[in-house]
Amino acid sequence: AQSVTQLDSHVSVSEGTPVLLRCNYSSSYSPSLFWYVQHPNKGLQLLLKYTSAATLVKGINGFEAEFKKSETSFHLTKPSAHMSDAAEYFCVVSDLGGGSYIPTFGRGTSLIVHP
Amino acid sequence: DAGVTQSPTHLIKTRGQQVTLRCSPKSGHDTVSWYQQALGQGPQFIFQYYEEEERQRGNFPDRFSGHQFPNYSSELNVNALLLGDSALYLCASSLYRYGEEETQYFGPGTRLLVL
């Protein structure tokens, strides 16, 4: 069975400082991993995805994530936070465990950006 | 290119009533998945439809049912509503490729309040 753990429920940073959102996963297969962002009262937007190609994945809006199999981690980073980055972020794992790719979401990390 | 659309955006029902939510997938997509997102939680997978049949189902009771139409649009029906069914219901669409990961694209959601 697949699972995902987002290690922080809230992360608070100042504008212009680096962002680190942590995610650990569990999967019995070769997983696909995703980060989605959800702004208030909006749907989920795909930030980036890992599907067994390069371990360092670049996404939209300056975000990137590194797949580390030995640590079963897929942490999301951004060099410099912007006020518009304040939102809920979800780490997602998906594998063929059930015969088709059904994503499992983490509980989410709320990113707070201070001016 | 229209993304995933959902209707209605908001809905208020009373306990015991029935509700139908609708979803139109992104152009070119043939698979629709439904999720329930309770307040402060990550989305939970309800079920997935492909070729007008339920392909996978999460841990939800039979009160939750769905349908997919020949044009790939989909409905989610919930019978005998409970207070705990109050949530944001998200629809996601993807393109099925055998044995390959299917990136899901989400709609804005329908917020259901059960009184």
Side-chain angles (χ1 to χ4, degrees):
Chain A
Q2 62 191 21
S3 67
V4 61
T5 302
Q6 292 185 241
L7 298 166
D8 307 292
S9 59
H10 296 83
V11 170
S12 183
V13 301
S14 297
E15 189 175 22
T17 64
V19 175
L20 170 63
L21 305 183
R22 299 182 296 164
C23 172
N24 286 350
Y25 71 92
S26 174
S27 173
S28 301
Y29 300 80
S30 297
S32 296
L33 293 156
F34 308 79
W35 276 96
Y36 283 87
V37 61
Q38 187 175 37
H39 288 92
N41 301 312
K42 295 285 182 66
L44 291 156
Q45 181 183 19
L46 179 66
L47 276 179
L48 50 81
K49 66 178 181 180
Y50 165 79
T51 55
S52 75
T55 56
L56 182 62
V57 182
K58 293 188 184 298
I60 62 172
N61 301 335
F63 285 95
E64 62 181 37
E66 186 171 8
F67 173 72
K68 291 187 176 180
K69 186 175 181 178
S70 61
E71 299 176 10
T72 60
S73 69
F74 190 58
H75 301 333
L76 181 70
T77 61
K78 182 173 180 177
S80 176
H82 192 271
M83 294 297 291
S84 61
D85 294 329
E88 192 79 14
Y89 291 78
F90 294 96
C91 182
V92 181
V93 63
S94 177
D95 66 28
L96 263 180
S100 61
Y101 284 94
I102 301 299
T104 297
F105 282 73
R107 293 172 63 95
T109 297
S110 179
L111 177 62
I112 302 161
V113 182
H114 299 285
Chain B
D1 176 24
V4 180
T5 60
Q6 293 185 243
S7 63
T9 56
H10 295 81
L11 206 50
I12 300 175
K13 293 286 188 177
T14 56
R15 281 178 297 176
Q17 284 189 313
Q18 179 265 344
V19 68
T20 297
L21 311 182
R22 296 175 176 82
C23 171
S24 290
K26 180 179 169 66
S27 178
H29 285 183
D30 57 9
T31 302
V32 173
S33 303
W34 286 93
Y35 294 81
Q36 180 194 68
Q37 185 179 16
L39 201 61
Q41 304 291 321
Q44 299 290 314
F45 173 73
I46 303 175
F47 43 53
Q48 184 180 79
Y49 276 83
Y50 171 70
E51 291 190 336
E52 302 180 47
E53 290 189 358
E54 184 181 289
R55 186 166 72 166
Q56 285 265 20
R57 189 178 183 93
N59 189 25
F60 279 79
D62 292 344
R63 297 187 298 109
F64 289 77
S65 64
H67 188 78
Q68 186 180 33
F69 299 93
N71 67 352
Y72 308 118
S73 67
S74 176
E75 289 182 349
L76 164 66
N77 301 293
V78 187
N79 294 323
L81 284 167
L82 304 173
L83 296 180
D85 295 331
S86 295
L88 179 67
Y89 288 86
L90 294 164
C91 170
S93 73
S94 56
L95 177 63
Y96 173 70
R97 292 193 184 93
Y98 176 77
E100 294 185 21
E101 172 274 325
E102 302 163 26
T103 300
Q104 296 193 345
Y105 293 84
F106 286 79
T110 294
R111 189 164 296 282
L112 172 65
L113 177 61
V114 182
L115 301 176

